[in-house]
Amino acid sequence: MSALVHAPGFGLFLTLAAYLGAGELHRRLGRPALLAPVLVAMVVVAVALELLGIGYDEYLASVSVLTLLLGPATVALALPLLRSGRALLADRGAVLLTLLATGAVSVAVTVAALELWGASDALVLTTLPRSVTTPVALTLGQTIGASTTLAVVLTLVSGVLGATVGPWLLDRVRVVDPRARGFAVGMVSHGIGTSRALAESDTAGGWSSAAMVLNALAMTVVLPVVARAFS
Amino acid sequence: MPGTPPPPPEPARGWAHHVPAVLAGLALLLGLQLAGTALVEVTGIPVPGAVVGLAALLALGARWRGVVARAEPAGTPLLKHLQLLFVPPGVGALTQLSTLVQNAGPLALAVGGSFAAGLVVAGTLLQRLLRRRVSA
């Protein structure tokens, strides 16, 4: 039994099985946002590791192929942007202004909230990349010296917030234009929000993934500068 | 069945028939990432190599559609199942749950606050700007 559990492929198998199982469960229950497959799979794998007595380092070595794929996946984010390129170029002024204003507000609120609370600089650094899509947030977190695992959880929380509360909040402030709705969700809650926006309409989904990529690019440039004030 | 027409030939997707499109696409994406990493190394700009690779694919793809067609067989499934790649770091975070709970107050305020403010600003601003363009 111990040979099986500690075989090099076991962690990878566990992760794939948990992800596929969670995806199937999600589909059968009518896609509730709170039971996002990634969250369910994370919990299942964490519990299994604990029960079977597998250390996190051993697990990481087993799933190194998944970690490796984050790089090419980040490069592939150019594809949805290229797909909606023409619509974005036609409205580039509006898009750029929204991108800058939202980025500034987002960073300012994050820093202000944590500073008012008297949180440590390390925590500020960790919270900054949270609205950026996860593969970029991970590498960006490493660049600015954040706790990357915690940064990933905050990123996931933002994503789930966007998928659950996002559409409701946009209704409250009377944003009805599908382009604006999609863009707003993509800006603050990246991939998880984008999959929810795609469910609203193709237009919303396209603008959402464009916002996700543009936000990642903008934050890659801006955050290292902001981070310098806290390290 | 006699008379059944032969299946239509695979649409030309860039590579020769004997090259598996998924592997070729993955090699292209990895190559762009590594080129980005090399550029970061040389110039010392504080940007992840993969993001430079993203910008490179953006520039190449806007100029040559063929590059997009070659990247898609690997890129599309990767993006569709991007969340699978987040499971390992997420598991690591669960083991750090105590940091999260300790700082739950400020974190909730920072994440929730910037989430709500960002969403409302982006939605209302872009809607107003797009509407003005149409009426102008």
Side-chain angles (χ1 to χ4, degrees), chain B residues 28-134:
Chain B
L28 175 62
L29 294 176
L30 269 172
L32 285 170
Q33 182 201 349
L34 294 177
T37 310
L39 195 72
V40 168
E41 178 80 31
V42 171
T43 57
I45 43 173
V47 168
V51 176
V52 178
L54 193 175
L57 180 54
L58 210 51
L60 294 173
R63 179 79 181 72
W64 293 286
R65 300 305 299 176
V67 177
V68 177
R70 283 163 203 229
E72 264 171 353
T76 307
L78 264 181
L79 289 182
K80 195 159 176 233
H81 293 283
L82 201 53
Q83 301 205 5
L84 169 63
L85 310 184
F86 310 153
V87 174
V91 170
L94 285 180
T95 62
Q96 281 200 4
L97 217 53
S98 58
T99 329
L100 196 65
V101 173
Q102 252 168 36
N103 298 304
L107 281 181
L109 189 66
V111 172
S114 72
F115 163 79
L119 189 75
V120 170
V121 168
T124 49
L125 180 63
L126 185 60
Q127 176 167 263
R128 197 158 299 166
L129 290 170
L130 289 173
R131 195 180 286 160
R132 187 187 303 162
R133 238 186 79 85
V134 171

Side-chain angles (χ1 to χ4, degrees), chain A residues 25-53:
Chain A
L25 182 77
H26 189 238
R27 213 171 51 79
R28 291 208 182 157
L29 294 180
R31 306 183 186 278
L34 269 180
L35 284 182
V38 58
L39 293 177
V40 175
M42 268 166 51
V43 173
V44 168
V45 171
V47 170
L49 293 184
E50 187 66 33
L51 290 178
L52 296 169

Side-chain angles (χ1 to χ4, degrees), chain A:
Chain A
M1 189 62 189
S2 142
L4 168 70
V5 165
H6 294 286
F10 186 79
L12 183 59
F13 173 77
L14 184 67
T15 308
L16 288 175
Y19 176 75
L20 294 175
E24 190 56 30
L25 182 77
H26 189 238
R27 213 171 51 79
R28 291 208 182 157
L29 294 180
R31 306 183 186 278
L34 269 180
L35 284 182
V38 58
L39 293 177
V40 175
M42 268 166 51
V43 173
V44 168
V45 171
V47 170
L49 293 184
E50 187 66 33
L51 290 178
L52 296 169
I54 304 171
Y56 184 60
D57 289 337
E58 186 185 345
Y59 169 71
L60 259 192
S62 176
V63 294
S64 59
V65 61
L66 296 183
T67 319
L68 262 174
L69 283 176
L70 277 172
T74 306
V75 177
L77 285 174
L79 297 174
L81 197 55
L82 284 167
R83 221 168 288 141
S84 51
R86 193 161 298 172
L88 286 173
L89 273 181
D91 288 308
R92 58 186 173 277
V95 166
L96 271 182
L97 194 58
T98 308
L99 183 69
L100 292 178
T102 312
V105 167
S106 190
V107 169
V109 171
T110 304
V111 172
L114 290 175
E115 286 294 309
L116 282 179
W117 204 290
S120 68
D121 286 352
L123 197 64
V124 178
L125 286 181
T126 302
T127 317
L128 279 176
R130 54 124 220 118
S131 70
V132 182
T133 181
T134 314
V136 181
L138 266 178
T139 37
L140 198 54
Q142 281 160 6
T143 311
I144 65 176
S147 151
T148 46
T149 48
L150 194 56
V152 166
V153 169
L154 295 181
T155 308
L156 292 175
V157 168
S158 298
V160 174
L161 265 182
T164 48
V165 188
W168 175 83
L169 188 57
L170 285 171
D171 286 342
R172 293 286 82 73
V173 293
R174 297 208 180 82
V175 176
V176 288
D177 188 320
R179 296 170 295 176
R181 287 178 73 92
F183 199 86
V185 169
M187 277 291 294
V188 296
S189 51
H190 50 85
I192 304 179
T194 297
S195 52
R196 176 64 178 74
L198 265 173
E200 256 181 34
S201 73
D202 274 350
T203 310
W207 282 70
S208 184
S209 46
M212 161 177 88
V213 178
L214 290 174
N215 186 44
L217 287 175
M219 287 302 167
T220 305
V221 178
V222 171
L223 286 188
V225 181
V226 177
R228 212 163 289 160
F230 297 96
S231 51

